Amino acid sequence: MSYLLRYKKYRLPLRVPLRTARGVWGEREGLLLRLEDETGGVGYGEIAPIPWFGTETMDEAEEICRALGERPSEAELASVPAALGCVRFGLETARTPVGIGGGQRLSVAALLPAGRAALLELPAKLEAGYLAFKWKVGVGAPEDELALLDDLCAMLPGYAKLRLDANGGWSRRQAAKWLDRCADRPVELVEQPLEPRDEDGLLGLAHDFPVTLALDESVLHLDAARRWQGRGWPGVFVIKPALAGPLPEIEAWALETKAELVLSSAIETVVGRRAIVRWALASGLTARPLGFGVDGVFADDRWNGPLLGAIADGHWAGATDEEALWTALN
Ligand code: MG
């Protein structure tokens, strides 16, 4: 089997720039892929690198697409090196489109803005039916944010759970203080309290504090997750499929190792997001809220697709017109 491969670059402003511990993020770049097989079947995929997260760069992604040429074979598509997780994810979803998922429903964690703005946004998210929330910390002064944590927890109804994400921005000392504070609060888990290279520190925190910890930046690819499993990591793995690699590989790893997962967005467009969400529902790999509470993230709504909302079900984005998105790019 050979394919007709085409790709186009996209550059999409975010509706509201995202503030993270790594700075402000104002626009998303990536490649939209169109793969046509010998029978005329067409699939779309998306390559959405985040180089500061450790992925390949846009240049590297374009280079490999150029190298694959217009008529890559199945074997050539499969030969993309493991380090290029974004490219491999995009090619696989274009080659094997994910169908509408089963009857499972999953809660979606709403992304709250960093800092005090989280308090202002929370009521509307509760009103919209969200049961789980994610708040970026390690952005402002730790003392200010700790005070805000109490305010935020006070506003949460009993059923709601809060996920914190430090993006590796805390020192060991700051992390210990936060995790101590989280112990008797409705915190589902804390993502990446320390930077990835402080592996002993991360393992130490996981053993010293009762709150569940999750590795995110530490486990960009599955080989890293396997290495952490080998070191006895007792917590959760945040996997961003759009960065990690082909969905079937993630599924095989999770089934084999019984890894506890949070599936998370890498701010991909509706093309990548739809594939991931449908697969998450169909595979039943995790019951934890999906980290896809990023509705409306792009200023141009065509790239957001239909609202996912507070609860994902298998029919979401059933009618997305990927061909129209493809045609809209030039
Ligand atoms: Mg994270």
Side-chain angles (χ1 to χ4, degrees):
M1 174 77 89
S2 78
Y3 296 87
L4 180 61
L5 170 65
R6 296 180 63 205
Y7 59 93
K8 291 179 179 177
K9 194 167 176 171
Y10 66 72
R11 198 177 188 135
L12 303 169
L14 303 186
R15 176 159 291 150
V16 179
L18 284 179
R19 285 172 68 209
T20 75
R22 301 299 184 96
V24 176
W25 202 12
E27 67 172 16
R28 188 75 170 103
E29 268 190 312
L31 298 173
L32 192 59
L33 303 177
R34 183 183 185 279
L35 208 55
E36 185 173 339
D37 68 22
E38 287 167 357
T39 68
V42 173
Y44 293 90
E46 173 179 7
I47 300 175
I50 309 181
W52 57 259
F53 208 87
T55 73
E56 62 265 52
T57 63
M58 275 293 287
D59 285 349
E60 287 163 342
E62 283 188 272
E63 179 59 36
I64 195 90
C65 290
R66 253 195 307 276
L68 284 169
E70 247 188 38
R71 289 263 172 210
S73 66
E74 190 109 37
E76 283 165 334
L77 290 179
S79 73
V80 175
L84 302 176
C86 304
V87 174
R88 296 176 72 240
F89 165 82
L91 289 172
E92 177 61 26
T93 46
R95 196 178 69 88
T96 317
V98 181
I100 288 177
Q104 204 194 351
R105 290 155 57 85
L106 279 174
S107 171
V108 176
L111 182 63
L112 297 172
R116 182 164 295 278
L119 302 177
L120 303 175
E121 205 147 301
L122 183 63
K125 301 281 188 192
L126 288 167
E127 186 69 26
Y130 286 96
L131 313 170
F133 302 89
K134 170 162 159 172
W135 186 40
K136 294 273 185 188
V137 289
V139 177
E143 290 307 319
D144 296 347
E145 288 183 341
L146 263 177
L148 289 172
L149 172 69
D150 285 334
D151 295 344
L152 205 50
C153 288
M155 289 170 72
L156 286 177
Y159 59 79
K161 283 283 186 199
L162 185 62
R163 212 173 253 184
L164 303 180
D165 190 355
N167 286 114
W170 286 332
S171 66
R172 284 192 188 186
R173 203 190 162 105
Q174 288 167 342
K177 191 166 185 183
W178 272 85
L179 298 183
D180 190 45
R181 194 74 82 83
C182 289
D184 50 1
R185 285 171 174 72
V187 173
E188 178 205 3
L189 53 82
V190 178
E191 286 182 31
Q192 201 70 41
L194 306 176
E195 58 183 343
R197 68 178 168 190
D198 190 1
E199 298 195 356
D200 292 339
L202 286 161
L203 277 166
L205 292 174
H207 289 112
D208 288 350
F209 293 93
V211 59
T212 300
L213 299 188
L215 296 175
D216 184 354
E217 282 85 344
S218 287
V219 291
L220 176 59
H221 295 129
L222 298 184
D223 55 350
R226 285 187 186 276
R227 204 168 52 72
W228 276 95
Q229 287 172 319
R231 290 200 71 180
W233 176 251
V236 170
F237 295 97
V238 178
I239 299 295
K240 295 176 165 63
L243 311 185
L247 297 173
E249 281 183 21
I250 299 169
E251 189 165 340
W253 161 74
L255 290 173
E256 177 204 326
T257 65
K258 299 187 169 54
E260 174 123 33
L261 293 185
V262 163
L263 296 170
S264 178
S265 164
I267 316 294
E268 56 284 301
T269 74
V270 64
V271 176
R273 189 158 76 125
R274 179 170 76 149
I276 298 165
V277 170
R278 285 179 161 191
W279 163 82
L281 293 164
S283 66
L285 288 175
T286 179
R288 287 190 183 265
L290 295 171
F292 281 81
V294 289
D295 273 328
V297 69
F298 297 108
D300 180 341
D301 254 333
R302 291 176 300 176
W303 296 91
N304 291 320
L307 284 185
L308 180 58
I311 305 287
D313 71 39
H315 293 282
W316 179 71
T320 295
D321 189 351
E322 291 165 320
E323 196 184 329
L325 293 176
W326 174 259
T327 310
L329 285 178
N330 267 312

